[in-house]
Amino acid sequence: MDNLWIASLSAADRKRLEPHLTEHTFTQGQMLYDAGEAVNQVWFPLNGVVSLMTILPEDKMVETAAIGREGLVGVTCGPMNARASSRAIAQIPGSAACCSADVFSDALGDSPSLRTALAKFTESLFAQVQQTAACNAQHRLDERLARWLLTLHDRAGSNRFDLTQSDIAGMLGVRRATVSEVGGDLEDKKLIRRGRGWVEVLDRQALEDAACGCYGAMRSVMKDLGVPAPQAPKA
């Protein structure tokens, strides 16, 4: 199983879910569900990245969490089958194993160990949301951009991934011209390379050094909780 969260479960818990899973692809920019909707499906990414977007007035939005093959999309810290509080958008195309929310809810009701695994993941996700909110409010854009690129690099499965300046600006909630300028600084330092609609990480360690401490803090929470953490490909 390419999804790390499912792979980390006990054999008994995997058997509860695997017969009900079907694979679905998602394209870049695809909305898996919107804020306010009843979520009727749980997605376990096998590859690709899904962003959770908090909607602001005047239809503005900003990313508050990114989920890849380490986790699941469609549940939060609230009750199962509640209405979504955020919009889920595919940031990097990929595929996911999916089951209905009802099936997942029934499996949780049957298994205390499955509930514990979900609680650990949702706690780490909540920590990511909190850290991202603080980061967006307090840190310089160059540090935020480096942190965000590291988060995607961990989950993308490749050193190069498709992203436009508009994509990045939308995720960070800033102007495209500002992203272009700050991204140019990272490129001048040979941390990344950019092309029309793509970004490549060139120097992973230097990018970590350029990021704020929020990236390391998020990784520490996952480690402390025993949640499987995604790893960037080796150079």
Side-chain angles (χ1 to χ4, degrees), residues 35-53:
E37 290 184 351
V39 180
N40 55 20
Q41 186 163 244
V42 181
W43 302 67
F44 304 90
L46 307 174
N47 46 68
V49 182
V50 177
S51 294
L52 299 186
M53 310 295 298

Side-chain angles (χ1 to χ4, degrees), residues 3 8 10 23 62 71-72 101 116 133 142-143 148 155 165 167 169-170 184 189 192 195 200 202 207 222:
N3 180 273
S8 71
S10 67
E23 187 170 342
V62 64
L72 56 156
T116 297
D142 59 323
E143 296 175 320
W148 187 75
R155 293 160 173 80
Q165 301 290 344
D167 292 332
K189 295 175 183 177
I192 63 172
E200 182 179 7
L202 296 179
L207 193 61
M222 298 181 78

